[in-house]
Amino acid sequence: SRVGQMSSASFDAMWAALEPVGRVAGGGYRRFAWTAEDATLREWFAGECARRGLDLVTDRVGNQWAWWWDGPGTVDDAVRAGRRGVVVGSHLDSVPDGGAYDGPLGVVSSLAAVDALREAGVTPQVPLAVVNFVDEEGARFGIACAGSRVLTGELSAERALALTDADGTTYAEALRAAGRDPAALGPDPQTLARVGSFVELHVEQGRALVDLGAAVAVASDIWPHGRWRFEFPGEANHAGTTRLEDRRDAMLGYADLVLGARHVATQRGCVATVGKVRVVPGAVNAIPSEVTGWLDARGPQEEQVVGLVEELTDRAGEMGATVTRESWTPTTLFDAGLSDRLRAVLGRQDEVSVPVLGTGAGHDAGILATAGIPSAMLFVRNPTGVSHSPAEHAEREDCHAGVAALTACVTDLVTQAGATREEHPR
């Protein structure tokens, strides 16, 4: 259709403009929160919103919300009248050397969906917004979904501002360098009060859709997941002159953590990864005096993950380690009514049964769902099944199918009754 061709062309143009931002040798991306690359991405988003005449608002955290409302009064007037908004979007930041699609696919698809709605002559009966959440990956300061966690009050401003990156820069200092006032950081109930429902489109971070032969799926839940810091003590000494029996090598405890995580996760039906390590003093010819490793653990059931971490904590404790939980998110169920509604819309559109998938990856949609906002997710097929890597991919035809699916869902939500919730979270 002409509308489909227009939104596909819009998607392609935006994707081409974003592609070089933050790209590094090897094809991956380094788009970290409150850096020069992040500023470029935020400027790009603001420019795309201005071209569409959307009303761009930045909340107390730095998340960007672009509103479309042609009804009577302002967006807040509509909210007071019981017409809370429908919000779509995702994030633009990346993990170190990450892929192009994790996050940006949702933002670009959401803007293309706005174009499709306008081309089709759809008039939203409730406000519609596209959001760009800041610092979703937590690549720089260590806490994933920081933008949505602070927004909802799940992460306190005090703790967020004290976070440091690998160079010792605090979150507060990074905000100042980006031209923002750290004192303004905090929960933003006024922004949340505008949101009646949230739909996040995301590239699939696995290969279930490849096996199912489907381009798009609806999410059911997010597995419980968390991050823990293991600090192993030792004693610095010369690597060439210290007898083995005289050594207190902190690396041995860390090595046991890495191997133990794989072994225990296999036994308990979970996944566990030690993906980051810090070694002191960090010299090739010095025995480590301190090794810190960060564990990421996830699984289908909370008791499985808790049991895994408890077992690894006991093992590490025998080696004198200190274990600190840095984050924990229990099982997150997406809103069943909203998810069923999206499945019904897509099923009518394609006359097929739409797959439903759980995911082990955390998302801003999960944080909003926990805060009481009806939330749902759409996944777009990833033929490689690889994510957080330059090999992450989505075929352009599937990207366009994702835009069409999101457009159909948003059209239903903004033109039919029942798109908004009755109460906003406290």
Side-chain angles (χ1 to χ4, degrees):
S1 70
R2 183 172 182 275
V3 172
Q5 291 174 345
M6 290 285 292
S7 62
S8 295
S10 172
F11 178 96
D12 293 344
M14 287 187 286
W15 196 259
L18 268 186
E19 199 166 22
V21 181
R23 193 163 192 170
V24 295
Y29 288 85
R30 293 196 165 218
R31 297 165 165 170
F32 303 155
W34 307 120
T35 60
E37 292 79 12
D38 185 52
T40 299
L41 294 166
R42 292 170 65 84
E43 289 169 3
W44 171 87
F45 182 78
E48 291 297 326
C49 296
R51 285 203 312 112
R52 291 165 174 80
L54 303 178
D55 181 18
L56 184 64
V57 179
T58 302
D59 64 27
R60 292 185 61 193
V61 189
N63 305 307
Q64 295 173 293
W65 306 75
W67 289 93
W68 171 17
W69 174 237
D70 293 333
T74 65
V75 171
D76 290 327
D77 290 334
V79 170
R80 284 189 287 270
R83 297 182 176 184
R84 288 193 171 90
V86 172
V87 179
V88 291
S90 191
H91 62 95
L92 293 174
D93 63 315
S94 77
V95 298
D97 301 322
Y101 293 81
D102 180 352
L105 181 63
V107 175
V108 174
S109 297
S110 296
L111 290 168
V114 168
D115 294 340
L117 264 67
R118 285 180 164 168
E119 185 65 25
V122 174
T123 301
Q125 301 303 301
V126 297
L128 173 63
V130 178
V131 63
N132 169 34
F133 282 108
V134 70
D135 201 7
E136 193 271 355
E137 296 291 3
R140 184 177 179 187
F141 295 99
I143 293 185
C145 300
S148 53
R149 289 183 193 273
V150 175
L151 171 70
T152 59
E154 184 176 317
L155 174 63
S156 71
E158 181 181 21
R159 185 184 175 198
L161 292 171
L163 295 171
T164 59
D165 66 11
D167 296 326
T169 302
T170 67
Y171 207 98
E173 291 168 341
L175 287 175
R176 288 193 195 96
R180 295 190 61 81
D181 178 9
L185 189 77
D188 197 331
Q190 182 177 356
T191 291
L192 288 176
R194 289 180 160 195
V195 186
S197 58
F198 176 54
V199 179
E200 181 174 5
L201 180 144
H202 204 279
V203 68
E204 186 194 2
Q205 295 172 287
R207 53 173 297 111
L209 286 175
V210 174
D211 297 335
L212 293 170
V216 178
V218 175
S220 57
D221 67 321
I222 297 176
W223 288 2
H225 56 280
R227 295 178 180 180
W228 290 262
R229 184 175 73 250
F230 286 70
E231 298 171 280
F232 294 92
E235 182 178 39
N237 216 326
H238 197 293
T241 62
T242 310
R243 296 183 304 176
L244 290 178
E245 59 267 30
D246 293 336
R247 299 183 181 207
R248 290 184 57 223
D249 189 345
M251 188 64 77
L252 297 180
Y254 171 76
D256 184 74
L257 171 67
V258 174
L259 297 174
R262 178 62 176 264
H263 175 70
V264 178
T266 300
Q267 288 184 322
R268 294 182 178 270
C270 298
V271 291
T273 305
V274 184
K276 179 180 177 181
V277 59
R278 182 175 63 207
V279 181
V280 178
V284 175
N285 60 347
I287 297 166
S289 62
E290 178 184 314
V291 177
T292 303
W294 280 264
L295 171 76
D296 181 298
R298 313 172 189 228
Q301 303 295 329
E302 290 182 22
E303 58 268 24
Q304 294 172 290
V305 181
V306 171
L308 177 147
V309 175
E310 287 178 346
E311 187 170 341
L312 293 177
T313 298
D314 289 343
R315 290 172 60 150
E318 294 174 1
M319 299 183 179
T322 299
V323 182
T324 304
R325 187 179 77 183
E326 293 196 334
S327 68
W328 168 250
T329 304
T331 302
T332 303
L333 296 174
F334 290 114
D335 187 87
L338 179 58
S339 297
D340 288 346
R341 183 171 176 173
L342 301 189
R343 286 191 76 207
V345 169
L346 299 181
R348 289 196 302 268
Q349 181 188 41
D350 298 329
E351 297 183 351
V352 295
S353 177
V354 179
V356 177
L357 303 177
T359 177
H363 299 281
D364 292 310
I367 304 301
L368 267 59
T370 300
I373 294 175
S375 301
M377 291 192 72
L378 300 178
F379 292 131
V380 174
R381 177 166 50 197
N382 176 351
T384 67
V386 176
S387 188
H388 285 186
S389 156
E392 176 183 275
H393 185 63
E395 296 292 345
R396 195 50 48 91
E397 183 178 343
D398 287 346
C399 293
H400 295 167
V403 172
L406 184 62
T407 301
C409 292
V410 172
T411 300
D412 182 78
L413 291 173
V414 301
T415 59
Q416 305 296 322
T420 61
R421 58 200 168 99
E422 294 181 356
E423 298 181 355
H424 61 82
R426 297 184 180 92

